[in-house]
Amino acid sequence: SSDGYSETYVLTSSTKYGRDGKASDIAVDDKVSVRATVSGDTATATNVDERPASAPKPTASASATS
């Protein structure tokens, strides 16, 4: 991102894309919002939603699990 934030997310068969989307709906350089759970050093995406270019910048949030 423009602020230098970077994260790698694991995508699973349970990851949801938009309302009824699929992973192939997301393309390189698309702006997305990701919700994830974190366990140790692994962030697993639970939801991936495309964001319009005019959307406000989201704040980072993730839930930790042990």
Side-chain angles (χ1 to χ4, degrees), residues 34-61:
V34 178
R35 279 176 283 204
T37 57
V38 177
S39 180
D41 293 334
T42 303
T44 302
T46 56
N47 296 79
V48 179
D49 297 299
E50 286 189 84
R51 295 188 314 118
S54 61
K57 183 178 170 182
T59 57
S61 87

Side-chain angles (χ1 to χ4, degrees), residues 15-49:
T15 302
K16 294 182 176 32
Y17 303 90
R19 292 178 187 227
D20 296 315
K22 51 193 175 296
S24 60
D25 292 338
I26 308 296
V28 172
D29 293 328
D30 279 355
K31 304 284 188 233
V32 298
S33 174
V34 178
R35 279 176 283 204
T37 57
V38 177
S39 180
D41 293 334
T42 303
T44 302
T46 56
N47 296 79
V48 179
D49 297 299

